Amino acid sequence: MTLRRSLPGLVAGALGISLTLSAVPAATASAKAQAPTTPTVSEQQVMPHLRALQRIADRNGGNRAHGTQGYADSVAYVKSALDRAGFRTKLVPFTYNGATGNNLIADWPGGDPDHVLLTGAHLDSVKESPGINDNGSGSAAVLATALQVAKSRLTPERHLRFAWWGAEEPGLIGSADYVGKLSGAERRRIDVYLNFDQAGSKNTQQWLVVHDDEHGETEAQQAFESWFAERNIPTFDIGVGGSDHESFGNAGIPSSGFSTGISDCIHEACDNLANVEPKTETTSTDALIGVLWKLAATIARR
Ligand SMILES: [Zn+2]
């Protein structure tokens, strides 16, 4: 590759057409200068989503569980924000325990459909809890990231798809339904799935980055670990499991992502707005944005 690219330069140099050559670096430099930089978010761009989910729980009996109005309202809230931003959204229904649930899928127009970067989080809570850290926090981080994609009018190499899963809490039901309905070809088009479950835990000392044992150290895992290392933030490797990435792992689809760890209030009424640390939630969102921008711009061979 290197040889092939340097050959025209050598030939041109031998022919003495330096005028033509000098135009090439100038054009490249100007294209680079115009390339959009990776955005970051403020607390004010993430925390309002968590306040909205708390309000939804408050007016629906204190939870956002599968089969409840609280879950339906959560989906409606995220969907309307995505629709306003220009995503192609759809609700994909499934049935569990006698109740219909929905996965919310949002596609950002453009990118190579044979190389999908899928980013997701579960949007349901358990019945005993408003589920603001588990997993309003992951849902809000993914939503804030999607809205940055729209705001930046990102033109990715990979196709960007975002997902909010239903019925994770009763056993990864929504994500398993989604993966189970994919054809073999559709599975192979997903380069990697990034999962975020509990992204704003209080007293977070280190981010738990998902290591995919089946696929080794993926480019996604490397990208997360680089992002945190560049900011002197400690990380710890965890395996695929315990959240929706397990559904993808079971189908042989590579995955990564991270968690900030289980809080004392997990699955309890006290997993409310006060159970999320805004600075941690903002850092998690910035990490997701940083890695998504990097992976969106490159298509690696598998
Ligand atoms: Zn969870």
Side-chain angles (χ1 to χ4, degrees), residues 122 124 134-135 168-169 197-198 242-243 266-267:
H122 77 84
D124 65 315
D134 181 19
N135 185 33
E168 186 267 359
E169 295 292 3
D197 194 343
Q198 303 173 73
S243 186
I266 186 166
H267 296 175

Side-chain angles (χ1 to χ4, degrees), residues 273-285:
L273 201 53
N275 192 41
V276 167
E277 172 60 51
K279 190 167 181 287
T280 299
E281 175 71 15
T282 306
T283 299
S284 286
T285 306

